[in-house]
């Protein structure tokens, strides 16, 4: 049995919008077209999808069960469209990615080994950037992908997918500082010591106008500043363990360490090609040893 894509789309949009008229506005069609499409789908399926007795259509039990399958059909169709587009376009000759210092190197090194084996002829570029800087690079078309900690908000032209890894962040201070010997450190005590803070190039939030705050655009620079004894900083645990010189102490502050979610971003205006999509799939897959 065949179902028209238009009828499936009308069904799902009506459920999402709450009415035939709202679905018609969302799809840019007339209400009669939407009503007819859903009626045809009901005839094809041999079931009633909506109870139309009230002012607004309400899903019947049969309609609720059918909704999940219809959504799966639409999603599969979209994946097929994406695949056809990727195959028609061919593999891109160059791929650029911006990654954060807090993402553990072992994770992207394993992925890059698989990438090199699968796409040996692609020119590849890897940049270090953080937060807003990554978004700017994506919007400007400078990079195709970005891996950053989860951002509170993103522009509508930026797509996002969650990685199956987390970053562990902690507060560090030089071992010779008096606070490093305490069994518990309060935020008030931290306030008396200079903070070494991440500050990206495009960051819109102004830093406090105080000599108690120094900033740098990368965690690696903050690590070096902390090791010189200039103040305390929030740093990735893996970075301190792998690149530190055993002179920093992780401070016992309430609420720390923290586990930070990691996302991969890309731009709808400058979408990645087949190789970039493959990398997104690899990044979002379960971590490999």
């Amino acid at each position: 049995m065949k179902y028209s894509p238009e009828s499936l789309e009308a069904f799902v949009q009506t459920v999402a919008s709450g009415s035939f008229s709202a679905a018609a506005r969302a799809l840019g069609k007339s209400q009669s077209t939407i009503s007819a499409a859903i009626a045809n789908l009901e005839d094809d399926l041999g079931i009633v999808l909506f109870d139309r007795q009230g002012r607004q259509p309400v899903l019947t039990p049969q309609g609720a069960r059918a909704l999940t399958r219809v959504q799966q059909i639409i999603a599969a169709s979209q994946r097929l469209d994406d695949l056809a587009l990727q195959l028609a376009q061919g593999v891109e000759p160059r791929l650029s990615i911006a990654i954060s210092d807090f993402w553990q190197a072992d994770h992207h090194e394993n992925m890059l080994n698989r990438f090199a084996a699968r796409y040996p002829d692609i020119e590849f570029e890897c940049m270090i950037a953080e937060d807003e800087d990554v978004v700017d690079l994506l919007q400007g078309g400078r990079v195709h992908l970005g891996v950053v900690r989860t951002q509170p908000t993103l522009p509508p032209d930026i797509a996002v997918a969650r990685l199956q890894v987390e970053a562990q962040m902690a507060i560090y201070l030089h071992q010779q500082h008096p606070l490093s010997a305490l069994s518990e450190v309060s935020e008030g005590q931290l306030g008396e010591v200079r903070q070494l803070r991440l500050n990206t190039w495009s960051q819109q939030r102004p830093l406090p106008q105080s000599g108690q705050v120094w900033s740098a655009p990368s965690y690696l620079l903050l690590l070096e500043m902390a090791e010189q004894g200039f103040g305390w900083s929030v740093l990735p645990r893996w970075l301190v363990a792998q690149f530190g010189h055993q002179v920093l102490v992780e401070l016992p502050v309430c609420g720390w360490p923290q586990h930070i979610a990691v996302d991969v971003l890309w731009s709808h205006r400058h979408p990645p090609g087949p190789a970039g999509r493959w990398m997104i799939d690899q990044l979002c897959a379960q971590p490999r040893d």
Side-chain angles (χ1 to χ4, degrees), residues 6-7 9 13 32 40 92 107-108 110 134 138 143 158 169-170 197 212 249 259 261-262:
E6 293 78 14
S7 65
E9 186 179 34
Q13 188 62 56
S32 60
N40 290 336
E92 62 269 39
H107 293 146
H108 56 75
N110 292 335
V134 174
L138 289 168
V143 299
I158 297 297
M169 309 289 286
R197 179 174 170 178
Q212 286 295 100
V249 172
H259 294 257
V262 186

Side-chain angles (χ1 to χ4, degrees), residues 55-67:
R55 295 186 58 185
Q56 304 295 347
V58 178
L59 271 179
T60 63
Q62 295 90 342
R65 294 186 62 182
L67 176 63

Side-chain angles (χ1 to χ4, degrees), residues 24-282:
R25 290 193 297 270
L27 295 176
K29 299 181 180 180
S30 67
Q31 181 174 340
S32 60
T33 299
I34 298 299
S35 298
I38 293 176
N40 290 336
L41 181 60
E42 289 177 323
D43 289 341
D44 290 338
L45 295 174
I47 61 175
V48 177
L49 298 172
F50 291 104
D51 182 346
R52 298 169 172 80
Q53 295 181 359
R55 295 186 58 185
Q56 304 295 347
V58 178
L59 271 179
T60 63
Q62 295 90 342
R65 294 186 62 182
L67 176 63
T68 300
R69 296 298 179 88
V70 171
Q71 290 172 328
Q72 292 172 348
I73 293 172
I74 292 177
S77 177
Q78 184 60 55
R79 289 195 297 270
L80 179 58
D81 289 343
D82 291 343
L83 176 61
L85 179 62
Q86 293 170 14
L87 294 175
Q89 290 177 338
V91 176
E92 62 269 39
R94 182 176 182 275
L95 186 67
S96 181
I97 181 172
I99 63 175
S100 167
D101 270 336
F102 78 77
W103 187 33
Q104 189 163 344
D106 290 347
H107 293 146
H108 56 75
E109 286 175 358
N110 292 335
M111 182 267 298
L112 289 180
N113 284 330
R114 299 192 297 274
F115 179 81
R118 186 179 181 91
Y119 300 104
D121 298 323
I122 289 183
E123 179 186 348
F124 179 75
E125 178 187 31
C126 188
M127 303 176 63
I128 298 296
E130 305 291 344
D131 297 347
E132 296 93 341
D133 287 348
V134 174
V135 175
D136 277 1
L137 291 169
L138 289 168
Q139 290 184 311
R142 179 60 181 82
V143 299
H144 304 99
L145 303 176
V147 178
V148 295
R149 62 180 175 178
T150 298
Q151 301 296 295
T153 59
L154 287 169
D157 60 309
I158 297 297
V160 58
R162 180 63 46 83
L163 273 63
Q164 299 299 314
V165 295
E166 290 183 331
Q168 295 187 25
M169 309 289 286
I171 297 177
Y172 291 91
L173 185 63
H174 197 281
Q175 61 186 5
Q176 293 183 353
H177 194 281
L179 287 185
S180 66
L182 300 182
S183 59
E184 184 176 349
V185 177
S186 67
E187 292 186 2
Q189 290 171 310
L190 280 180
E192 300 297 321
V193 183
R194 180 187 295 116
Q195 179 184 2
L196 308 176
R197 179 174 170 178
L198 185 72
N199 188 24
T200 56
W201 293 104
S202 58
Q203 188 173 27
Q204 300 300 314
R205 301 183 302 275
L207 291 173
Q209 299 299 312
S210 169
Q212 286 295 100
V213 176
W214 287 11
S215 65
S218 76
Y219 287 110
L220 192 59
L221 286 173
L222 292 176
L223 170 63
E224 294 179 357
M225 293 164 68
E227 290 190 328
Q228 293 297 319
F230 292 124
W232 64 270
S233 184
V234 175
L235 296 170
R237 276 177 148 183
W238 82 268
L239 194 71
V240 176
Q242 186 163 332
F243 294 105
H245 298 88
Q246 300 182 344
V247 298
L248 297 181
V249 172
E250 181 178 325
L251 296 183
V253 181
C254 182
W256 294 85
Q258 294 183 354
H259 294 257
I260 309 297
V262 186
D263 288 337
V264 56
L265 311 179
W266 64 97
S267 170
H268 290 302
R269 292 186 295 178
H270 309 282
R277 293 298 312 182
W278 177 90
M279 186 170 287
I280 291 172
D281 292 340
Q282 295 296 306

